[in-house]
Amino acid sequence: MVVDSQTPSYLFNTGRGFQSQNFLGCHWHSNQTADFRVWAPHALAVAVVGDFNHWQPTALRELGTTGIWQGQLSKIFPGQLYKFRVTAPDGQSQLKIDPFARQFEAKPGDAAVVCPPSRMHWHDSLWLARRKRTHLERRPLNIYEVHLGSWRRHPDGSYYTYTELTASLIPYVKRLGYTHIELMPVMEHLLDRSWGYQQFGYFAPTSRFGDRDAFLHFVDACHQANLGVFVDWVPGHFIRNYDALYQYDGTPTFEYADRGRADNHRWGAWNFDLGKAQVQSFLISSALFWLEECHLDGLRVDAVSNLLYINYDAGQEHRLNQYGDDRNVEGIAFLKKLNGVVAARHPDVAMIAEESSAYPQVTGALQDGGLGFDFKWNMGWMHDTLNFFKLDPLYRADHFQLLTFAFVYMYDEHFILPFSHDEVVHGKRSLMHKMPGDRYNQFANLRTLLTYMLAFPGKKLNFMGAEWGQYLEWRDWSQLEWVDLDDHLNHAMQRFTAALNQLYHQQRPLWEQDQVDAGLRFTHTDDPQSVTMSFIRQAKRPHDFVVATFNFAPVEHRQYRIGVPYCGTYHLLLNTEAQAFGGTWTRLEQTFTATAQPYRGQPASLTCTLPAMGALLIAPTKVSRGSTHV
């Protein structure tokens, strides 16, 4: 028998079925019939049960020796629920979800929903055309991270729908000046407290907020508002429930056969067997589904370290691979394959790694041995920076290396600087609550922190609520503390965030050369006792730069000298202590004159009053042509 190497079943079983959702699952036809197909290679029998047959099993037949079971049923209507009844090798039967379902019933149920083909008519062609012209590495990227279930809720505690979020979340994020929204996982999941990270619906937007098409309209509306959309995606592990993917055919099917490697103690989940060809087809099909059918602008791949190391999970016994180390050879190969497939098909989208180890070349090119991601979260910078800002200013001089150490490795990867949900939950306190001092000084510290993040090389991400300094840490079971905005300091903080984000978007030096040495020059970073810092962010044009100066102590510095590359006049872009932002300065120094007085390696310098616990951003207005660029 000659096997057609291009059949969907062959491609799926050989790890090359990258659109397997178009073959497997339930496919409804307008003549009220539906094809059902499911992969259960070791099952003795498979049947489909649902509303259409009164939940009495209708047997499917195996497609040759492919491990795929299929059948066509009549009198099937959209909206009907169904599951597969899988009989294991030991003769026991279990109702199982459809791994390729496009929609599930509302929790606490997990039956799949018969869906007709989407009739979505997209209106984002201009956005997609712009996306193709310039990669995000060379554009401003400022992300607002959102948990849809707790951004806003109705007074009775019910969720906002995708449609309601379209009307409220999108204009809010746009008004605040962010460039992208990043959604915590919206793939279908049962447990709210998992935040979406223990999934079972890898092709289905969660029904909590509406149906599949409502989610697509949300993405379309974001693009029409010039907002990109990322979604967290979890290829490392899946929900433990027995009626989901676990031991799907009665044997380890999606997870490792070795229970020690399959059991993920850290998250209470099961690890995918990433070396299995069918699992690779399943996961890469899922990734492409979200990028292609849902028009997403990228995926933030969760817990990449768990895919890179065999012993990453604290509960696992120490294991070694065939080469005598703890690298997860299958996981590394899968990530390279995933990123290679995505880059070949969609070079204009972003693959983002949430990776917490020092694994090299996470964003390195595949041809150079790298993993091929576009960006990596800079977890080291995040931890060190927050640890510094949490200190009483009295002790910051002794721990200045918490800020300066990141300068050593800031170009090792293409970084995103994240103040994410993980840093404002489980007793870690909100960003505002981490700041020392009384309420006024907490706001002053927070404004300086966000300005430091803005000026440091790398793209940006902030979790919802930080934009106005919410004091309570994040609670996934209730909405943000919007009542805070009745307070003038919180309202001023929100105004500051909008101004800061607008400035970031307008000033090319703050993002044009994020990944290269030429994008930053040190002018005053080696003087910890002053607890101040100054550096220059440089755009490609020599005269286009921003001077960023920070004071991390509550002591004002008059006649503070800053080295600059040119003589001439400079103007103020931002003073974090402006009264409009909640500070105390009612009159701001708007212009500065740089003279030919060399200072700290620069041929010219200017002086300013550096506010206590504050920051200044300054840009050239007119510089002398005869001065030397250093």
Side-chain angles (χ1 to χ4, degrees), residues 43 105 161 216 226 268 517 564 615 626:
E105 66 176 325
T161 64
L216 299 182
N226 289 323
D517 289 341
V564 292

Side-chain angles (χ1 to χ4, degrees), residues 288-340:
L288 292 176
F289 165 80
W290 294 97
L291 295 172
E292 294 175 350
E293 297 189 34
C294 301
H295 285 210
L296 296 185
D297 301 287
L299 299 174
R300 179 268 203 181
V301 181
D302 181 64
V304 169
S305 299
N306 186 53
L307 281 65
L308 296 177
Y309 298 102
I310 298 173
N311 299 306
Y312 180 73
D313 188 353
Q316 291 176 338
E317 61 182 274
H318 187 71
R319 297 166 180 262
L320 299 177
N321 60 29
Q322 61 267 41
Y323 305 107
D325 57 54
D326 68 344
R327 288 175 301 136
N328 183 349
V329 176
E330 304 99 315
I332 293 169
F334 167 76
L335 288 171
K336 291 182 178 182
K337 182 176 182 177
L338 166 70
N339 288 327

Side-chain angles (χ1 to χ4, degrees), residues 28-325:
W28 183 83
H29 307 293
S30 57
N31 62 358
Q32 298 177 5
T33 64
D35 297 316
F36 293 88
R37 298 187 186 93
V38 64
W39 177 58
H42 298 107
L44 292 180
V46 178
V48 62
V49 299
D51 293 336
F52 39 77
N53 60 9
H54 306 289
W55 293 88
Q56 298 303 308
T58 300
L60 305 180
R61 59 181 177 83
E62 188 173 6
L63 179 61
T65 58
T66 64
I68 295 172
W69 300 74
Q70 68 175 10
Q72 186 176 87
L73 281 70
S74 59
K75 297 182 180 179
I76 309 295
F77 298 95
Q80 291 180 321
L81 303 180
Y82 71 96
K83 284 191 174 186
F84 292 112
R85 184 176 184 266
V86 181
T87 303
D90 64 2
Q92 298 295 313
S93 295
Q94 173 81 45
L95 290 182
K96 292 284 190 176
I97 67 162
D98 176 2
F100 288 89
R102 306 297 183 91
Q103 190 172 322
F104 288 89
E105 66 176 325
K107 63 173 189 172
D110 60 1
V113 178
V114 175
C115 288
S118 174
R119 296 182 178 179
M120 177 67 187
H121 180 64
W122 292 89
H123 304 84
D124 61 350
S125 57
L126 287 177
W127 169 267
L128 296 179
R130 282 196 298 268
R131 196 179 77 182
K132 290 180 185 297
R133 286 199 295 268
T134 309
H135 194 272
L136 274 172
E137 287 184 2
R138 302 184 299 278
R139 287 162 47 196
L141 178 55
N142 190 6
I143 305 166
Y144 186 71
E145 188 189 25
V146 179
H147 178 257
L148 292 180
S150 57
W151 183 72
R152 274 195 185 275
R153 288 198 181 187
H154 292 292
D156 64 357
S158 60
Y159 297 119
Y160 269 40
T161 64
Y162 293 123
T163 302
E164 290 170 324
L165 290 163
T166 298
S168 55
L169 175 61
I170 293 174
Y172 178 82
V173 175
K174 186 68 177 175
R175 179 167 59 86
L176 267 290
Y178 293 96
T179 65
H180 288 68
I181 298 174
E182 181 171 314
L183 306 177
M184 291 171 67
V186 294
M187 294 76 176
E188 192 59 89
H189 57 283
L190 283 176
L191 181 64
D192 290 342
R193 300 304 300 273
S194 77
W195 309 336
Y197 291 99
Q198 291 188 8
Q199 303 170 4
F200 65 86
Y202 277 75
F203 297 84
T206 178
S207 58
R208 285 166 174 77
F209 316 117
D211 62 20
R212 170 198 59 186
D213 288 347
F215 174 75
L216 299 182
H217 282 289
F218 172 82
V219 176
D220 192 39
C222 285
H223 288 172
Q224 291 180 70
N226 289 323
L227 288 173
V229 184
F230 302 139
V231 166
D232 287 7
W233 182 68
V234 188
H237 53 85
F238 58 87
I239 192 172
R240 281 195 184 275
N241 296 36
Y242 278 73
D243 58 349
L245 300 181
Y246 175 63
Q247 295 211 347
Y248 195 83
D249 63 5
T251 70
T253 309
F254 288 90
E255 70 275 21
Y256 288 102
D258 180 345
R259 189 179 178 91
R261 294 193 65 184
D263 195 353
N264 190 312
H265 295 271
R266 185 184 297 262
W267 287 290
W270 300 110
N271 290 321
F272 281 107
D273 182 351
L274 299 174
K276 188 175 288 186
Q278 297 89 343
V279 172
Q280 294 172 13
S281 291
F282 173 77
L283 288 173
I284 294 176
S285 293
S286 170
L288 292 176
F289 165 80
W290 294 97
L291 295 172
E292 294 175 350
E293 297 189 34
C294 301
H295 285 210
L296 296 185
D297 301 287
L299 299 174
R300 179 268 203 181
V301 181
D302 181 64
V304 169
S305 299
N306 186 53
L307 281 65
L308 296 177
Y309 298 102
I310 298 173
N311 299 306
Y312 180 73
D313 188 353
Q316 291 176 338
E317 61 182 274
H318 187 71
R319 297 166 180 262
L320 299 177
N321 60 29
Q322 61 267 41
Y323 305 107
D325 57 54

Side-chain angles (χ1 to χ4, degrees), residues 396-608:
R396 288 178 174 176
D398 297 328
H399 298 276
F400 213 61
Q401 76 281 357
L402 289 171
L403 293 185
T404 57
F405 179 63
F407 290 127
V408 175
Y409 63 87
M410 61 185 171
Y411 299 125
D412 287 358
E413 304 278 4
H414 294 174
F415 283 123
I416 290 175
L417 311 179
F419 291 144
S420 74
H421 66 276
D422 278 328
E423 308 316 312
V424 294
V425 73
H426 295 328
K428 295 180 182 178
R429 299 177 294 175
S430 68
L431 284 190
M432 174 66 172
H433 196 183
K434 294 179 197 290
M435 301 298 107
D438 59 19
R439 195 159 186 268
Y440 170 81
N441 278 290
Q442 285 181 316
F443 276 109
N445 272 280
L446 184 57
R447 292 192 298 268
T448 302
L449 170 68
L450 295 184
T451 306
Y452 181 71
M453 178 194 201
L454 179 94
F456 197 93
K459 309 306 183 184
K460 326 297 177 187
L461 179 143
N462 272 295
F463 186 58
M464 62 184 195
E467 69 270 21
W468 73 71
Q470 175 170 303
Y471 188 78
L472 291 180
E473 70 175 18
W474 172 50
R475 300 172 299 177
D476 62 90
W477 62 88
S478 65
Q479 70 172 2
L480 296 177
E481 294 289 302
W482 293 97
V483 67
D484 287 350
L485 292 174
D486 292 338
D487 182 276
H488 76 281
L489 285 176
N490 289 108
H491 191 75
M493 184 70 208
Q494 187 187 56
R495 189 184 307 118
F496 168 80
T497 300
L500 190 69
N501 290 346
Q502 183 181 34
L503 186 66
Y504 170 71
H505 199 277
Q506 294 171 343
Q507 294 295 320
R508 299 180 74 90
L510 297 174
W511 48 263
E512 191 174 49
Q513 299 197 99
D514 267 330
Q515 318 296 343
V516 294
D517 289 341
L520 183 143
R521 280 178 291 151
F522 303 106
T523 57
H524 191 167
T525 57
D526 59 352
D527 182 19
Q529 293 309 309
S530 72
V531 203
T532 66
M533 179 183 290
S534 179
F535 54 79
I536 294 172
R537 291 301 311 277
Q538 180 69 55
K540 291 182 178 179
R541 294 190 306 170
H543 292 180
D544 192 4
F545 58 91
V546 170
V547 182
T549 304
F550 304 92
N551 184 2
F552 304 111
V555 179
E556 182 178 276
H557 292 270
R558 295 177 180 267
Q559 294 297 306
Y560 184 83
R561 187 165 295 277
I562 305 171
V564 292
Y566 299 104
C567 297
T569 57
Y570 291 70
H571 65 277
L572 179 71
L573 295 174
L574 181 82
N575 182 331
T576 61
E577 276 298 293
Q579 190 177 51
F581 301 147
T584 59
W585 283 43
T586 57
R587 297 180 63 185
L588 306 178
E589 290 181 282
Q590 297 290 348
T591 60
F592 311 88
T593 301
T595 61
Q597 181 175 340
Y599 188 71
R600 291 185 167 268
Q602 298 298 312
S605 61
L606 58 85
T607 60
C608 65

